[in-house]
Amino acid sequence: MATSQNRTEKSEIAKHIFDEDGDFPAFFRFFDYLLQQYNWPGLRRQGRLTYRGIGDAVSLLKSSSHVTNNEAIQKLNNNNGTAPPNPNALDDLNLAVNMMIMVDCDPQKSHTLGFTIADYSPKSWKPEETYLDFVKRSFPADPKPSKRVQWSIKAWKLKEKLGVEFRPTDDLDKHLLYDSKDPPCVYLFHQVGFLKAQLKKYNETEMPLDLSVDECLESLINPVVRGSPPVRLLYETIHSLQWLLFHRVDNKSDAVLKELIGEKGFDPECANYEGYRRLEGDGFTYTYWGERIRKLEAALAKPPPRTKLGRWLQSQTSERNALFIALLALFISIFVGLLSVILAAVQTWIAWMAWKYPVK
């Protein structure tokens, strides 16, 4: 059960991140779990991690997006000389980044070296890299943004035609990631409450969608949105969930969504279509998620085999194997043709011998 101090700390950090005091149950459920892991009794640390300490790191990153990882740790550790050194400065900083942009900037703690999913590999915040550059590297803009969404990607189609399993992720950089391995799955960033709270700040200040990452993190235009993820990224993510995959008038996809919320732990806000605006329809383009959407469309257009035998046969039909099989078929055809000629000649010879030397 949450203590009064814990509730106060959560309220303070919600104001830091969302500029409002709210419950955000799915958001804090995830971070309560992370704090539990960090504060596990088996770990040797001089003090427990708290939301108050993470809040100090959030304030630092909001005030300076050009601070490097090393500089941020040093500043948090020194506390500007006003308090004892903070032995948990690194962990406070990592969790602060996770809270602000929903990206794990220290994936070695949760993934093995060389961990990948399809063509995705988690990124670490490098020691001499600025926070701004890390955010840009975590969410690269698509070099070929989609001109128009074809609206062929529906949740029920992905499930029925590709047999995918939808998996919730709290890492925004894994959104719409398609892993075709057995069993195939699509990762969906389900923290819609986080997306709506961040978008609310942009909506209330009527900020344009085409703001750069620099303008969003530094926001010299309006300090209210300073430190927030890129507005375009937020809109694309919620648009892909509530307009593309789980459109409110798509009953079959709605049934899939209800199952995900009830059984897979998806944020219930996924099914609440209120609280945001400016989600264009046919004219909406994807700058961040265009490539992943195109991969899903390609998979739907040419579904991979669903059985192990089918996947094995497909693996044997590369261009090289196809050429080998074609040549083998040619040689077999020639062999069969020669054999037919020989058999015909033998039959002709037998018939001629029977005619020349009839049996009396």
Side-chain angles (χ1 to χ4, degrees):
M1 183 178 294
T3 64
S4 176
Q5 180 182 357
N6 188 254
R7 285 194 296 268
T8 301
E9 290 178 354
K10 286 183 178 180
S11 176
E12 290 176 356
I13 205 165
K15 290 178 181 177
H16 272 305
I17 295 175
F18 303 118
D19 199 44
E20 66 173 299
D21 183 6
D23 292 332
F24 308 105
F27 178 80
F28 280 113
R29 184 166 58 248
F30 171 58
F31 283 99
D32 281 339
Y33 167 77
L34 290 183
L35 279 178
Q36 207 172 34
Q37 299 300 307
Y38 274 87
N39 291 327
W40 185 60
L43 294 177
R44 293 183 179 180
R45 58 171 68 250
Q46 297 181 20
R48 292 177 58 83
L49 263 66
T50 64
Y51 281 113
R52 188 178 300 276
I54 300 169
D56 293 338
V58 169
S59 297
L60 172 62
L61 293 176
K62 289 184 69 172
S63 64
S64 176
S65 62
H66 292 279
V67 67
T68 67
N69 187 295
N70 280 343
E71 290 171 346
I73 293 172
Q74 185 176 4
K75 289 183 178 182
L76 292 172
N77 187 45
N78 292 338
N79 285 315
N80 295 320
T82 60
N86 177 12
N88 300 324
L90 174 60
D91 292 334
D92 284 340
L93 181 65
N94 291 339
L95 285 174
V97 173
N98 209 333
M99 281 190 152
M100 292 176 70
I101 62 171
M102 299 303 287
V103 171
D104 183 3
C105 67
D106 186 24
Q108 287 95 348
K109 285 191 174 182
S110 54
H111 298 300
T112 58
L113 187 65
F115 171 83
T116 59
I117 300 175
D119 59 351
Y120 163 87
S121 57
K123 299 175 178 65
S124 299
W125 185 6
K126 300 175 183 177
E128 299 302 328
E129 184 179 31
T130 67
Y131 176 56
L132 176 61
D133 288 338
F134 171 70
V135 175
K136 289 181 178 179
R137 192 162 56 87
S138 298
F139 302 110
D142 191 339
K144 297 179 181 179
S146 61
K147 299 300 181 184
R148 183 179 181 277
V149 179
Q150 299 301 316
W151 310 121
S152 62
I153 305 176
K154 302 298 180 185
W156 69 267
K157 287 185 179 181
L158 292 172
K159 188 172 183 179
E160 291 185 7
K161 293 188 176 183
L162 299 182
V164 303
E165 172 189 343
F166 293 107
R167 295 183 183 177
T169 178
D170 300 290
D171 293 324
L172 184 52
D173 58 344
K174 288 182 181 176
H175 183 58
L176 293 175
L177 187 62
Y178 172 51
D179 187 0
S180 60
K181 294 180 180 178
D182 189 22
C185 66
V186 174
Y187 292 85
L188 298 177
F189 180 75
H190 72 107
Q191 293 277 0
V192 172
F194 170 86
L195 296 173
K196 288 181 179 179
Q198 295 286 14
L199 284 171
K200 183 179 178 181
K201 295 187 293 182
Y202 286 107
N203 287 335
E204 289 178 346
T205 54
E206 298 185 350
M207 305 287 277
L209 284 179
D210 58 354
L211 288 178
S212 67
V213 179
D214 306 60
E215 290 172 320
C216 292
L217 290 184
E218 298 175 345
S219 197
L220 301 177
I221 304 173
N222 193 319
V224 173
V225 300
R226 182 180 297 144
S228 300
V231 58
R232 183 84 198 184
L233 173 68
L234 296 170
Y235 268 108
E236 287 187 22
T237 306
I238 198 170
H239 187 276
S240 66
L241 290 169
Q242 296 194 325
W243 193 287
L244 189 59
L245 290 172
F246 305 103
H247 197 283
R248 67 170 72 198
V249 298
D250 183 356
N251 293 332
K252 294 176 73 174
S253 293
D254 182 63
V256 176
L257 179 59
K258 288 179 179 178
E259 180 183 348
L260 295 176
I261 292 173
E263 299 179 11
K264 298 290 185 179
F266 274 60
D267 184 359
E269 281 296 315
C270 291
N272 181 1
Y273 291 83
E274 304 301 327
Y276 68 93
R277 50 193 172 89
R278 293 195 298 179
L279 290 188
E280 297 88 343
D282 290 344
F284 194 83
T285 59
Y286 284 88
T287 300
Y288 289 97
W289 304 127
E291 182 178 355
R292 292 184 181 177
I293 288 176
R294 285 193 294 271
K295 288 182 178 180
L296 288 172
E297 285 185 329
L300 280 173
K302 190 177 180 181
R306 299 282 294 274
T307 65
K308 290 184 178 180
L309 176 60
R311 287 191 293 272
W312 181 85
L313 290 174
Q314 186 184 56
S315 68
Q316 303 304 310
T317 56
S318 63
E319 291 182 4
R320 189 173 181 179
N321 287 337
L323 177 61
F324 172 77
I325 292 172
L327 290 173
L328 181 61
L330 177 62
F331 286 127
I332 291 174
S333 299
I334 293 173
F335 174 77
V336 171
L338 288 173
L339 185 60
S340 299
V341 171
I342 293 171
L343 288 175
V346 170
Q347 289 176 347
T348 302
W349 180 79
I350 293 173
W352 181 79
M353 292 297 290
W355 172 77
K356 187 174 182 181
Y357 304 106
V359 179
K360 296 181 180 180

